[in-house]
């Protein structure tokens, strides 16, 4: 039986430490760390994500500012909001919920955020530092969460063959950087939809991180015996037996892969809880760096 990697439990431990750091910073500086979350439009999934982030801030003692703008908000209006937050001493982290409406140029929004307050680690300044192996600043929340899971479960990475499936700027590329960084020392292959002999590449992995955004794409015959499998995917598939008419699955066919894996993350309950926990970690650490 594979070890079931419990993201909820690890996230709870990380957030316990986040709350402790938050309390120490509040005592030291007379104010708590602050996170601003900006939502443009009424995307239901985005509303849920924003609400969960604001709620977690409240639980940990982090000051939060939730800014909701109409769906037809102009680019300049959003840039003005970001400019105000960049200059607000109460705010140490700024997050603009993705995806924005089509009239918003997301790249320009990312560039407008002060890199010191970029808790998503999307700004080119921060992604460039990551590519150079500088891990002292904010790190991308989901890959950072994956690294915490590997650390918590003492899963060895040095010299291991790691395969990252998916090349997004949010997960795939930064995951490659973190796994190959000094101290982690994995040998990383980055695969995507155009990779030749993809199944064979996946079968070579001692550690497989699936982040391709396709439900149950990784089947049992694509994974070698004893591999560690980290499933980043969150996909809805129709299921008439469920009250909501759908169920959530990952990018890995769990029932097929779990018997072969040494360790595996479930979906939900694996990587997902870690993303918000590491966002909170970035926020408290941003305050430390800014005020230091």
């Amino acid at each position: 039986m594979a070890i079931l990697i419990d993201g909820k439990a690890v996230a709870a431990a990380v957030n316990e430490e986040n709350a402790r750091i938050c309390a120490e910073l509040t005592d030291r500086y007379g104010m708590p760390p602050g996170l601003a979350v900006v939502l443009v439009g009424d995307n239901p999934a985005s509303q849920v994500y924003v609400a969960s982030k604001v709620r977690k801030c409240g639980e940990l003692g982090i000051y939060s500012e939730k800014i909701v703008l109409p769906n037809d908000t102009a680019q300049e209006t959003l840039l003005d909001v970001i400019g105000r937050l960049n200059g607000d001493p109460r705010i140490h982290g700024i997050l603009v919920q993705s995806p924005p409406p089509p009239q918003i140029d997301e790249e320009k929004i990312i560039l407008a955020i002060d890199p010191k307050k970029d808790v998503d680690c999307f700004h080119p300044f921060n992604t460039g530092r990551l590519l150079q192996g500088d891990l002292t600043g904010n790190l991308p929340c989901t890959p950072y969460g994956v690294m915490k899971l590997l650390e918590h479960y003492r899963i060895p990475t040095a010299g291991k063959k790691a395969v990252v499936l998916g090349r997004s700027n949010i997960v795939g590329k930064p995951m490659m950087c973190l796994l190959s960084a000094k101290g982690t020392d994995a040998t990383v292959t980055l695969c995507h939809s155009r990779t030749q002999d993809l199944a064979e590449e996946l079968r070579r992995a001692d550690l497989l991180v699936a982040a391709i955004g396709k439900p149950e794409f990784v089947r049992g015959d694509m994974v070698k015996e004893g591999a560690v499998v980290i499933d980043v995917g969150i996909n809805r598939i129709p299921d008439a037996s469920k009250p909501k008419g759908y169920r959530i699955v990952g990018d890995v066919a769990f029932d097929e892969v779990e018997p072969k894996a040494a360790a595996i993350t479930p979906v939900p309950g694996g990587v997902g809880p870690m993303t918000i926990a590491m966002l909170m970690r970035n926020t408290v650490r941003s305050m430390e760096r800014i005020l230091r």
Side-chain angles (χ1 to χ4, degrees), residues 21-160:
I21 298 170
C22 181
E24 291 175 355
L25 291 172
T26 302
D27 287 344
R28 186 185 311 162
Y29 295 108
M31 65 175 181
L35 174 66
V37 184
V38 183
L39 173 62
V40 184
D42 54 4
N43 181 294
S46 294
Q47 289 176 333
V48 171
Y49 294 147
V50 166
S52 64
K53 292 165 185 174
V54 171
R55 182 170 59 251
K56 185 57 67 176
C57 284
E59 293 173 3
L60 301 180
I62 295 171
Y63 166 73
S64 66
E65 185 171 337
K66 175 182 172 182
I67 301 168
V68 181
L69 301 173
N71 197 63
D72 60 355
T73 295
Q75 175 100 357
E76 290 305 317
T77 301
L78 179 54
L79 289 172
D80 288 344
V81 170
I82 292 171
R84 176 182 68 78
L85 295 171
N86 282 338
D88 189 336
R90 300 171 301 169
I91 298 299
H92 309 100
I94 301 170
L95 181 155
V96 179
Q97 186 64 42
S98 183
Q103 78 275 10
I104 301 296
D105 185 333
E106 192 165 13
E107 183 178 354
K108 290 183 179 178
I109 298 306
I110 291 169
L111 287 171
I113 296 173
D114 183 341
K116 295 189 295 295
K117 297 186 178 186
D118 169 35
V119 285
D120 269 332
C121 194
F122 290 166
H123 194 286
F125 179 84
N126 292 323
T127 57
R129 289 177 64 177
L130 175 61
L131 185 61
Q132 291 180 333
D134 181 353
L135 307 184
T136 60
N138 290 333
L139 300 176
C141 300
T142 299
Y144 191 10
V146 171
M147 298 307 296
K148 277 292 179 183
L149 290 175
L150 297 176
E151 175 188 321
H152 181 88
Y153 281 86
R154 299 182 180 179
I155 293 172
T157 54
K160 298 296 183 180

Side-chain angles (χ1 to χ4, degrees), residues 107-277:
E107 183 178 354
K108 290 183 179 178
I109 298 306
I110 291 169
L111 287 171
I113 296 173
D114 183 341
K116 295 189 295 295
K117 297 186 178 186
D118 169 35
V119 285
D120 269 332
C121 194
F122 290 166
H123 194 286
F125 179 84
N126 292 323
T127 57
R129 289 177 64 177
L130 175 61
L131 185 61
Q132 291 180 333
D134 181 353
L135 307 184
T136 60
N138 290 333
L139 300 176
C141 300
T142 299
Y144 191 10
V146 171
M147 298 307 296
K148 277 292 179 183
L149 290 175
L150 297 176
E151 175 188 321
H152 181 88
Y153 281 86
R154 299 182 180 179
I155 293 172
T157 54
K160 298 296 183 180
K161 170 77 171 179
V163 174
V164 178
L165 178 58
R167 54 181 167 180
S168 73
N169 291 332
I170 297 174
V171 179
K173 291 176 184 176
M175 193 77 255
M176 173 188 68
C177 293
L178 289 176
L179 286 170
S180 60
K182 288 184 178 180
T184 304
D185 302 314
T187 300
V188 185
T189 299
L190 183 67
C191 292
H192 46 79
S193 59
R194 296 300 181 94
T195 300
Q196 293 185 358
D197 300 323
L198 177 58
E200 186 58 34
E201 290 289 349
L202 301 185
R203 279 191 288 269
R204 295 191 181 106
D206 302 309
L207 168 62
L208 172 61
V209 181
I212 198 170
K214 295 183 178 180
E216 300 183 324
F217 178 86
V218 178
R219 315 302 300 193
D221 62 357
M222 297 179 179
V223 178
K224 76 175 183 180
E225 292 283 348
V228 173
V229 180
I230 306 294
D231 191 350
V232 178
I234 301 177
N235 310 284
R236 289 184 181 184
I237 61 173
D239 188 337
S241 69
K242 301 296 183 182
K244 294 183 179 180
Y246 65 85
R247 59 189 173 93
I248 302 295
V249 300
D251 291 352
V252 174
F254 184 89
D255 291 343
E256 294 183 22
V257 173
E258 187 267 346
K260 300 179 71 174
I264 189 170
T265 57
V267 176
V271 175
M274 297 299 298
T275 298
I276 292 182

